[in-house]
Amino acid sequence: MHDHRLQPLLHDLVSTVLAPTTALSGADGQIRPAGVQGLFHADARVLSEARLLVDGREAEPIGHAVPGPGVSRFVSLARWLGDRSPDPTVRIDRVRRITPGAMDEEITLASTAADPVACTVTLALSCDLAPIEVVKSGGAAEPLPPVVAGGTPAWHSGGTRVTVRSDAEVSGAGLRWDVTVAPGERVTLRWGASVEDPEAVVAAPPGPREWSRPEIEADDARLVRLTRQSLDDLESLRLTETAAPGDTFLGAGVPWFLTLFGRDSIWAARMLLPLGTGLAAGTLRALARRQGDKVDPHSGEAPGKIMHELRRHEFAVEGNGLRLPSAYYGTIDATPLWIALLHDAWRWGLPEAEVAALLPTLEAALGWLAEHGDADGDGFLEYIDTSGRGLANQGWKDSGDAVRFRDGARAEPPIALVEVQGYAYEAAMAGAALLEAYGRPGAERWRDHAAGLAERFRARFWVDGGYPALALDRDKRPVDALTSNIGHLLGTGILTRDEELRIAQVLKDPAMSGAFGLRTMSSSDAGFSPLSYHCGSVWTHDTAIVISGLARSGHGDLAADLARGLLSAAETFGYRLPELHAGDDRALMGQAVPYPAACRPQAWSAAAAVAIVHALVGLYPDVPEGRAALRPLPGAPLGALAVRGLRVAGEPVEVTVDGSGKAQVTGLPAGVSLAG
């Protein structure tokens, strides 16, 4: 028997989101006082129960849908009411709408019974105001006593206040309606809850979304459905800082990470660049404001470093010793990724003045690469948590057992991750290009830095088997596990064409690509488990990054196969791809198996749909140079595709790819021409 708390499972819950507010319920719409169910605002649970009963009984659920951002619909039956016949005659539709800081529901009882139907509807409510980290660790808080004021229940603690609105009779902490439904008629009941939370550090952006919503026609209808749902989810994850509401970024994911998350927010904004540069600009500025300016071992801060995550207070997960300060910098990759995002946004047409305003942040970030990111001076970026209370692993695979040798042994820090060296190379070259373009000194220094890094990488990382190691450990030994991390090197520039080919061939092996996407670890490695968080599962964003790299480096066959895997997984998950799913072989069950604690929706998983579309159409603009390349995947492996509403320098662009793979682009902005 377990004597420790377990993180609540998520895979069978329904998320209704419009950041920073989220409702998590069962598939029947009920919010029960168990696990992670509840209404959350920012990083606190503001309702821990909203359970609907009809005559003291729960109705029988028959279906649910998420028709748009912030909306869910649940359908159930009350078969003990109405006519005695095989057909149900009393139906209940529960429509939930989330707006920032509020949840509203309409509960409609419809009857086709021959006689009037009388019943009592009650809604049990409770509130515990549990912090998200307590819920995540499997803990709970005691329900707060309600205060009935103005005829409605309310709860408050500190600066947070939760107030219920309804057209019902108040019964203790709950609501009650006495209902009679005439034959062929319906009755609609209404209630809602509002949150006042002046201490929240994130809020809803005041303006419209910062990216276009393209129209897509595709032979593979799954691509259309996935993109539609993903764009809805991305819209629901928009956030801004309460202290700086002008800059929008994407919250990483529901429910644990609905906040500014350096790596996640950057990758999501990068994947969305084909739809416009506005989100990238907001993300870059939000992180630039919090760029490190001092050395602080407790928070991981260092001069020039980009932050990892932002909370209202210390994030302490009971049972594992993790205690992260409200602004935590324990990430090795957010800084080079920030540089790469600035560079890519510039190429896609981010206005010159906005780029220029971020150049001081760029120079400081480049300085971190050389001065603080390489703690032991060996020429590689590496990490170690010296506080004893932060993340032991500080790449995107940040679980404690994520960095393993092929025999399953864990690597000891400091650790230099393979993909981070690719990011660092790309960042140095990107920084050089930006410095040169804006007439600032240092371009040659960073080109030389990149060249030296590539030489050292080539000498130290490649292992027997013809692929780069996952990492170097504290003794500078190659950690020889075969992992998806090496796919992130594709397109960074650190590899030769022959090396890119070798990596593509290794990733093509069924041990890596035999699941519904790319496995995080080879099924031939001793540490492999299909339900491991980072050692055998399939992460949506990870696969999408590799698809993009394969497309850019000319390996379209594997890119297409991995895209097919994600599209098949999307069918399983109602086209709302989760953070990750199990790495079981495609033939095992014929569909993807959930990872039961995966966040959904999640920003970089939703953005992966745009990355797949972009890889298929292959539009690569360079606005500063006045040119664009068009390199779709050869042979249109997923069929014909037309995308209207991409954005280059703010202008709408259309790309079509016919069934043979021939592509055309129209609408490129003035001064940008298609390269031959």
Side-chain angles (χ1 to χ4, degrees), residues 250-613:
L250 290 177
V254 172
W256 316 126
F257 309 117
L258 201 55
T259 186
L260 177 61
F261 235 74
R263 175 193 311 118
D264 300 50
S265 299
I266 289 169
W267 265 122
R270 199 175 181 189
M271 291 180 184
L272 260 63
L273 281 172
L275 308 186
T277 60
L279 178 66
T283 304
L284 289 163
R285 288 192 291 262
L287 290 167
R289 279 193 298 274
R290 294 183 174 274
Q291 187 175 35
D293 59 12
K294 63 182 181 295
V295 174
D296 182 352
H298 174 57
S299 69
E301 184 178 354
K305 195 175 186 182
I306 297 299
M307 187 185 66
H308 177 55
E309 66 179 285
L310 179 67
R311 304 283 183 177
R312 80 169 75 196
H313 51 223
E314 183 181 70
F315 187 84
V317 178
E318 187 173 330
N320 65 4
L322 193 69
R323 302 186 71 87
L324 307 183
S326 57
Y328 180 58
Y329 289 77
T331 168
I332 193 63
D333 52 11
T335 307
L337 289 171
W338 186 96
I339 297 170
L341 176 61
L342 176 62
H343 173 267
D344 289 0
W346 174 56
R347 297 293 188 194
W348 277 91
L350 183 64
E352 288 190 7
E354 295 187 47
V355 177
L358 290 166
L359 292 179
T361 306
L362 166 71
E363 290 170 323
L366 287 168
W368 177 86
L369 294 182
E371 297 166 22
H372 297 279
D374 178 13
D376 62 7
D378 68 344
F380 297 114
L381 293 188
E382 64 243 331
Y383 60 81
I384 182 171
D385 171 49
T386 58
S387 73
R389 298 187 293 177
L391 292 169
N393 284 315
Q394 296 185 1
W396 81 262
K397 293 181 178 177
D398 58 3
S399 54
D401 65 349
V403 184
R404 295 182 171 212
F405 290 85
R406 194 151 201 187
D407 64 4
R410 297 189 189 185
E412 294 295 329
I415 289 170
L417 288 170
V418 61
E419 77 274 17
V420 173
Q421 313 317 313
Y423 300 161
Y425 179 95
E426 186 176 22
M429 295 297 290
L434 284 161
L435 293 174
E436 187 171 72
Y438 282 81
R440 299 171 85 106
E444 283 308 309
R445 174 195 175 188
W446 293 109
R447 290 194 182 97
D448 290 343
H449 180 91
L453 175 57
E455 184 177 347
R456 291 188 296 274
F457 179 85
R458 195 159 288 115
R460 300 297 303 277
F461 269 81
W462 287 83
V463 300
D464 294 340
Y467 59 89
L470 166 59
L472 302 182
D473 73 353
R474 68 181 176 189
D475 298 317
K476 308 305 177 183
R477 295 180 301 166
V479 181
D480 59 351
L482 174 56
T483 65
S484 62
N485 301 57
I486 64 174
H488 291 222
L489 300 172
L490 297 167
T492 63
I494 199 170
L495 302 173
T496 66
R497 290 188 64 82
D498 179 63
E499 289 166 345
E500 289 181 329
L501 175 61
R502 289 158 65 187
I503 287 178
Q505 289 172 335
V506 168
L507 295 181
K508 193 172 184 178
D509 188 280
M512 287 299 298
S513 61
F516 290 93
L518 187 67
R519 291 188 176 107
T520 46
M521 177 178 283
S522 168
S523 60
S524 299
D525 280 21
F528 171 81
S529 166
L531 281 172
S532 167
Y533 196 54
H534 288 129
C535 298
S537 58
V538 172
W539 282 65
T540 301
H541 89 282
D542 179 40
T543 299
I545 290 169
V546 177
I547 288 170
S548 297
L550 289 164
R552 289 167 64 186
S553 58
H555 300 285
D557 54 345
L558 180 54
D561 185 59
L562 294 176
R564 291 188 194 98
L566 286 184
L567 289 172
S568 295
E571 291 183 284
T572 303
F573 298 112
Y575 295 96
R576 176 181 268 181
L577 277 168
E579 177 184 21
L580 70 156
H581 58 267
D584 293 301
D585 193 88
R586 295 187 199 185
L588 182 66
M589 293 184 66
Q591 63 180 20
V593 174
Y595 180 87
C599 292
R600 194 164 69 116
Q602 200 204 29
W604 58 11
S605 294
V610 179
I612 292 170
V613 170

